[in-house]
Amino acid sequence: TNDDENYQKFANDYTKRYGKEPGAYTTESYDAVMIIAKAIEISDGSREGIKNALYTIGEYCGASGCFEFDSYGEVYRDYEVVEFDKEGKVHLWKG
């Protein structure tokens, strides 16, 4: 479970609307759409304008946490990699 306030609001709204909890990548997908919507909103709506707007967003905090965009539009964020070996042992790496 995620204790983040943005996640909790999203999860509650999602559960009320769809009658089930959000899936594994639901919050990331939602945030991706909201980030693109923000870029469209602050741009002239052209493909080039939307791309350039992504360079200016800076920080975005949403359902899956906070993202920080650099001046090239790249996103920096902590992540985890989970691997299950053949014996069923779990290995976790954080980046």
Side-chain angles (χ1 to χ4, degrees):
T1 33
N2 187 333
D3 294 330
D4 181 77
E5 182 180 313
N6 290 332
Y7 172 80
Q8 291 300 322
K9 180 178 179 344
F10 175 83
N12 288 337
D13 291 347
Y14 185 94
T15 302
K16 284 178 189 171
R17 181 168 186 158
Y18 299 106
K20 61 182 180 179
E21 293 184 15
Y25 300 106
T26 306
T27 56
E28 287 83 358
S29 299
Y30 175 82
D31 284 344
V33 169
M34 297 308 291
I35 290 166
I36 294 297
K38 177 70 173 173
I40 291 169
E41 178 184 314
I42 63 175
S43 74
D44 62 6
S46 70
R47 183 170 43 185
E48 188 74 14
I50 294 167
K51 177 188 71 124
N52 291 335
L54 288 172
Y55 302 153
T56 67
I57 287 178
E59 185 179 60
Y60 169 86
C61 291
S64 66
C66 292
F67 299 83
E68 188 171 331
F69 292 83
D70 69 11
S71 61
Y72 301 103
E74 297 292 327
V75 176
Y76 296 94
R77 181 176 171 176
D78 293 338
Y79 62 91
E80 295 179 349
V81 175
V82 179
E83 177 183 60
F84 297 89
D85 64 22
K86 292 180 181 179
E87 290 77 38
K89 188 173 179 181
V90 177
H91 304 276
L92 177 66
W93 291 274
K94 294 185 178 199

